[in-house]
């Protein structure tokens, strides 16, 4: 039964191992991909006519196959301007683009000569090959070319699978039909590989058959025979060069040396008129930072309309992304994964030669930031895009940097630390500080930061008798800013223990004794909503500790059929910000439960 065949891709748990079982991809071949860090994914096809899900809408019987294919008559590409597309992609800061040459519906964007092919050139209102001019436009912009190709073709008469509930035949009972399909499949792959000589093949749909049934090793061999520098993604039954998690930002770095997150700009891959839930430029920029800090790429998806126009909301996001990437390119392109969050509690990257470390700050009014466990001398420190002098001081292995408000970027500020040689960092664990030691810090902001770090590390300095849940009766040797802050935020300190790992939240946090309330410590003013990754719990409500204000939260990229959690975003109104540090209480539906498994390909889309 087909339903049983579309399994939750147990191979996801091993596909990194499968890829690694092959001979590793040559570093020279992969260099451009590893250096690029940002690509644009384009889902364009006849599904944009009626704003329905690409291919899946007929596969899931939301509409009939006949009705779905009638969209060919509405796919006109009248406003299609491939040079404008390529120019916008270059402006975004992307170094490559991947376009859906053929999705699971079987409609080819090029003039395929394979027997039985359905093409935009022969069958759509556009009456033309729309792939060739785009590939040419990319190359005029010196952008690398990626071609998405679906192994399944649910419209092809000799392919075994038709819809979720219908199969045309079983391979074991009609091998000649499967052979005819393989001839068709390989003919189209040969056309794409020889006519366009792409830099990258982005396969999809391999879950429907085994590597032996597809002939995956043979497909790879034939493609590389003609195009030896070709890069192939992981969705060819373990025959690929890099891993391709989908939608969910990995909580921890994937095992593969090379990986790329494919990620929608709203909630849909192709154009859907009624999906207006676009991520903000700030959210996209911080997703990019998340990826590059773990040594990966972001492949950001857009969906043009049937007439070829890229929606205004998507253009706006790409241009805003381009503003930030143009300013901070040296921290992005050619970078490698950063330093341990124990040394800097935030996102970081390192230059290719390892002699520079880049610190990403997604707060305003950062004041003084600290790098811990640094055993090397700092040659220089600066904020990218800021011409003023940066004040920094190294005391033992602790480096403090003063961040002027005038130097801060509206989305993410980048501090560059330069060294004569790749720096050495000691493994640092937050100290078990008592209140007296914490109070020795001169500035209240630093006192509160030290306190929150200690609590987050599981070193709560408050014995039960010293503190009540509401802070009443708390006595300190002097009535200073620290004691006032403690009384105001007592519930986040009372009987609380270690909070979220830094892989799940960029900052200190604590957890209530019953493990059902998370307390997020937020220093400065976030440039956008704060984010929690990998939270399996449902959230009951979110409020600001000390004021009691209830604030909204949103979850993005949660696929209802998948166990992988989405990302929780919480926007803190500026009028509610605390001078020293905010604390946000997140009430959960039960004891804290976290997700940290591999995220992978989309195998089913009910």
């Amino acid at each position: 039964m087909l339903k049983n065949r579309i399994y939750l891709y147990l191979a996801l748990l091993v596909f990194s191992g499968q890829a690694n079982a092959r001979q590793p991809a040559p570093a020279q071949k992969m260099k451009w991909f590893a250096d690029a860090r940002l690509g644009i994914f384009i889902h364009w096809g006849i599904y944009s006519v009626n704003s329905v899900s690409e291919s899946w809408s007929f596969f899931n019987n939301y509409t009939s196959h006949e009705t779905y294919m009638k969209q060919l008559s509405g796919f006109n590409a009248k406003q299609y301007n491939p040079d404008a597309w390529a120019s916008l992609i270059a402006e975004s800061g992307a170094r490559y683009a991947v376009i859906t040459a053929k999705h699971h519906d079987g409609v080819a964007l090029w003039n395929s000569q394979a027997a039985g092919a359905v093409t935009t050139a022969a069958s759509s209102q556009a009456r033309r090959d729309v792939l060739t001019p785009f590939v040419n436009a990319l190359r005029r912009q010196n952008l690398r070319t990626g071609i998405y190709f679906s192994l399944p073709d649910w419209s092809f008469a000799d392919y075994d699978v038709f819809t979720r509930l219908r199969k045309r035949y079983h391979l074991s009972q009609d091998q000649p039909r499967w052979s005819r399909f393989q001839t068709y499949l390989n003919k189209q792959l040969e056309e794409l590989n020889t006519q366009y000589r792409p830099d990258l093949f982005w396969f999809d749909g391999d879950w429907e058959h085994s590597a032996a049934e597809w002939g995956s090793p043979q497909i790879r061999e034939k493609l590389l025979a003609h195009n030896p520098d070709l890069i192939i993604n992981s969705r060819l039954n373990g025959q690929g060069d890099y891993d391709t998690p989908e939608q969910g930002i990995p909580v921890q770095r994937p095992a593969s040396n090379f990986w790329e997150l494919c990620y929608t700009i709203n909630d849909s891959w192709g154009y859907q008129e009624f999906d207006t839930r676009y991520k903000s430029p700030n959210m996209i920029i911080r997703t990019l930072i998340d990826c590059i800090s773990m040594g990966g790429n972001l492949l950001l998806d857009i969906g043009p309309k049937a007439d070829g126009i890229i929606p205004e909301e998507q253009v706006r996001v790409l241009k805003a992304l381009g503003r930030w990437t143009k300013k901070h390119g040296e921290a992005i392109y050619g970078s490698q994964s950063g330093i341990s969050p124990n040394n800097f509690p935030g996102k970081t990257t390192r230059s290719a030669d390892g002699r520079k470390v880049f610190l990403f700050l997604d707060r305003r009014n950062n004041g003084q930031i600290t790098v811990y466990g640094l055993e090397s001398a700092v040659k220089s420190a600066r904020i990218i895009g800021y011409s003023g002098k940066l004040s920094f001081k190294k005391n033992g292995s602790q480096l403090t940097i003063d961040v002027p408000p005038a130097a801060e970027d509206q989305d993410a500020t980048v501090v560059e630390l330069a060294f004569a040689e790749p720096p050495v960092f000691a493994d640092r664990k937050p100290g078990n500080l008592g209140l007296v030691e914490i109070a020795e810090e001169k500035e209240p902001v630093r006192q509160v930061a030290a306190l929150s770090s200690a609590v987050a590390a599981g070193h709560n300095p408050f014995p039960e008798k010293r503190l009540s849940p509401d802070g009443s009766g708390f006595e300190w040797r002097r009535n200073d800013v620290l004691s006032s802050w403690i009384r105001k935020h007592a519930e986040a300190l009372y009987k609380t223990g270690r909070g979220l790992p830094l892989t799940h939240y960029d900052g200190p946090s604590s957890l209530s004794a019953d493990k059902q309330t998370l307390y997020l410590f937020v220093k400065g003013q976030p440039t956008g909503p704060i984010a929690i990754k990998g939270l399996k719990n449902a959230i009951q409500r979110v409020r600001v500790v000390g004021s009691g204000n209830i604030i909204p939260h949103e979850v993005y990229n949660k696929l209802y059929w998948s166990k992988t959690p989405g990302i929780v975003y919480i926007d803190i109104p500026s009028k509610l910000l605390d001078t020293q540090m905010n604390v946000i209480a997140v009430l959960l539906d039960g004891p804290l439960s976290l997700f940290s498994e591999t995220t992978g390909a989309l195998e089913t889309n009910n």
Side-chain angles (χ1 to χ4, degrees):
M1 200 174 160
L2 178 59
K3 187 174 182 180
N4 294 329
R5 300 188 50 153
I6 305 180
Y7 48 88
L8 240 192
Y9 212 25
L10 295 176
L12 281 175
L13 300 177
V14 298
F15 81 161
S16 295
Q18 289 175 333
N20 292 335
R22 291 183 49 261
Q23 185 174 354
Q28 183 177 2
K29 181 179 91 166
M30 297 301 294
K31 187 177 187 310
W32 76 259
F33 178 82
D35 288 348
R37 293 304 177 220
L38 177 62
I40 298 299
F41 209 178
I42 303 171
H43 274 67
W44 194 35
I46 65 171
Y47 38 84
S48 58
V49 174
N50 292 340
S51 295
V52 295
S53 295
E54 59 293 332
S55 308
W56 296 97
S57 52
F58 77 79
F59 181 85
N60 292 320
N61 300 298
Y62 296 166
T63 186
S64 69
H65 181 258
E66 180 183 7
T67 300
Y68 180 93
M69 296 303 286
K70 284 181 179 178
Q71 292 178 104
L72 282 162
S73 64
F75 187 81
N76 57 54
K78 287 181 178 179
Q79 303 297 320
Y80 175 42
N81 185 336
D83 283 306
W85 282 22
S87 178
L88 178 63
I89 291 167
E91 184 180 352
S92 76
R95 296 292 175 87
Y96 64 107
V98 178
I99 186 168
T100 49
K102 188 187 78 169
H103 206 269
H104 312 321
D105 59 14
V107 178
L109 299 189
W110 78 102
N111 191 20
S112 175
Q113 299 303 301
V118 178
T119 71
T120 56
S123 302
S124 77
Q125 186 185 349
R127 292 292 175 188
R128 59 171 167 150
D129 163 5
V130 293
L131 179 62
T132 302
F134 179 62
V135 171
N136 292 338
L138 286 179
R139 290 183 170 143
R140 284 192 288 272
Q141 290 286 346
N142 294 316
L143 294 168
R144 295 281 185 166
T145 301
I147 288 180
Y148 169 108
F149 183 84
S150 169
L151 292 166
D153 188 325
W154 293 332
S155 297
F156 192 72
D158 285 320
Y159 185 62
D160 62 329
V161 177
F162 183 35
T163 70
R164 182 175 298 279
L165 302 177
R166 293 174 62 189
K167 283 179 67 76
R168 295 184 176 93
Y169 63 93
H170 292 278
L171 266 63
S172 60
Q173 299 171 0
D174 201 339
Q175 191 60 41
R177 289 187 75 177
W178 182 248
S179 296
R180 287 196 294 273
F181 171 73
Q182 285 188 310
T183 299
Y184 162 80
L185 171 75
N186 283 285
K187 169 66 174 174
Q188 289 199 320
L189 285 172
E190 181 185 6
E191 288 176 346
L192 291 169
N193 200 32
T194 57
Q195 291 178 32
Y196 302 107
R197 201 177 176 85
D199 299 292
L200 185 152
F201 250 110
W202 212 101
F203 285 104
D204 202 9
D206 66 347
W207 63 83
E208 286 206 331
H209 290 286
S210 67
E213 289 169 341
W214 288 123
S216 297
Q218 293 79 14
I219 288 174
R220 177 183 173 86
E221 184 179 355
K222 288 176 184 176
L223 293 175
L224 292 178
H226 178 76
N227 188 0
D229 292 328
L230 178 71
I231 294 173
I232 297 172
N233 76 333
S234 61
R235 302 185 189 187
L236 189 61
N237 301 98
Q239 295 294 312
D241 300 308
Y242 70 94
D243 281 353
T244 315
E246 181 168 324
Q247 293 290 43
I249 303 173
V251 174
Q252 298 176 351
R253 175 178 175 148
S256 176
N257 289 333
F258 307 102
W259 65 274
E260 162 200 83
L261 170 68
C262 55
Y263 196 74
T264 53
I265 201 167
N266 52 1
D267 285 338
S268 307
W269 293 105
Y271 172 69
Q272 293 197 28
E273 178 184 358
F274 306 107
D275 180 3
T276 58
R277 199 164 179 258
Y278 285 94
K279 301 173 182 74
S280 69
N282 178 272
M283 292 161 68
I284 296 295
I285 288 167
R286 287 162 56 203
T287 298
L288 171 62
I289 292 170
D290 219 338
C291 291
I292 64 177
S293 70
M294 292 187 283
N297 293 9
L298 172 64
L299 185 63
L300 178 64
D301 179 74
I302 62 173
K305 299 178 181 180
D307 60 5
I309 290 178
I310 297 175
E312 181 180 341
E313 300 92 339
Q314 300 181 20
V315 172
R316 177 179 60 84
V317 171
L318 293 186
K319 286 180 175 290
L321 175 60
R323 178 206 69 81
W324 189 85
T325 55
K326 182 178 181 181
K327 179 180 177 181
H328 300 101
E330 55 200 296
I332 304 168
Y333 309 113
S335 67
Q336 54 181 316
S337 57
I339 62 178
S340 168
N342 287 331
N343 297 115
F344 180 74
K347 305 301 180 187
T348 60
T349 59
R350 292 174 293 151
S351 59
D353 64 6
R355 295 182 181 182
K356 291 181 180 179
V357 174
F358 301 97
L359 314 176
F360 296 89
L361 314 176
D362 58 1
R363 305 281 193 272
R364 296 190 186 95
N365 302 314
N366 285 279
Q368 197 173 75
I369 62 171
T370 305
V371 178
Y372 302 94
L374 176 59
E375 298 187 347
S376 304
V378 180
K379 184 178 178 182
S380 65
R382 71 184 182 101
I383 292 178
I384 295 179
Y386 177 64
S387 58
K389 186 178 180 181
L390 198 62
S391 176
F392 64 95
K393 180 180 179 181
K394 192 168 183 292
N395 184 9
S397 63
Q398 184 167 299
L399 175 70
T400 55
I401 306 163
D402 293 319
V403 181
E408 294 178 323
D409 185 83
Q410 67 190 56
D411 291 304
T413 303
V414 183
V415 178
E416 176 200 277
L417 304 178
F419 302 87
E421 298 293 336
V424 176
F425 289 89
D427 187 27
R428 173 254 181 191
K429 304 292 183 185
N432 187 359
L433 301 179
L435 276 180
V436 173
E437 294 167 295
I438 289 170
E440 288 176 357
E441 291 281 1
K442 293 181 180 179
E443 297 293 329
V445 170
R446 293 186 64 80
Q447 292 173 342
V448 172
L451 174 58
S452 64
S453 294
V455 173
H459 304 308
N460 194 324
F462 295 99
E464 276 184 48
K465 61 183 180 181
R466 284 288 303 274
L467 193 66
S468 60
D470 62 1
S472 61
F474 174 71
E475 295 181 1
W476 183 237
R477 59 185 177 180
R478 57 182 183 270
N479 189 23
D480 58 3
V481 174
L482 176 59
S483 61
S484 176
W485 187 90
I486 290 171
R487 281 192 290 269
K488 179 181 177 182
H489 301 93
E491 68 166 288
L493 309 171
Y494 176 74
K495 294 186 180 181
T496 54
R498 188 188 302 270
L500 294 171
L502 290 170
T503 49
H504 291 262
Y505 169 66
D506 273 346
S509 60
S510 65
L511 185 63
S512 61
D514 66 1
K515 303 187 184 306
Q516 291 191 205
T517 302
L518 271 172
Y519 296 101
L520 310 178
F521 298 93
V522 185
K523 179 186 174 185
Q525 180 180 353
T527 59
I530 60 174
I532 305 173
K533 291 196 301 182
L535 180 64
K536 293 170 70 174
N537 301 82
I539 293 176
Q540 308 288 36
R541 61 172 41 185
V542 180
R543 58 185 169 80
V544 179
V545 173
S547 71
N549 294 96
I550 306 298
I551 56 177
H553 71 280
E554 289 191 275
V555 178
Y556 281 80
N557 294 92
K558 170 58 183 158
L559 306 175
Y560 70 91
W561 51 266
S562 172
K563 64 180 180 179
T564 305
I567 307 168
V568 178
Y569 286 103
I570 303 169
D571 208 350
I572 308 173
S574 57
K575 65 187 295 183
L576 297 179
L577 291 172
D578 185 272
T579 306
Q580 278 69 49
M581 182 176 287
N582 262 89
V583 183
I584 304 301
V586 180
L587 179 62
L588 308 175
D589 63 346
L592 175 67
S593 179
L594 297 177
F595 179 93
S596 60
E597 297 173 34
T598 302
T599 55
L602 182 147
E603 302 77 50
T604 182
N605 191 349
N606 293 334

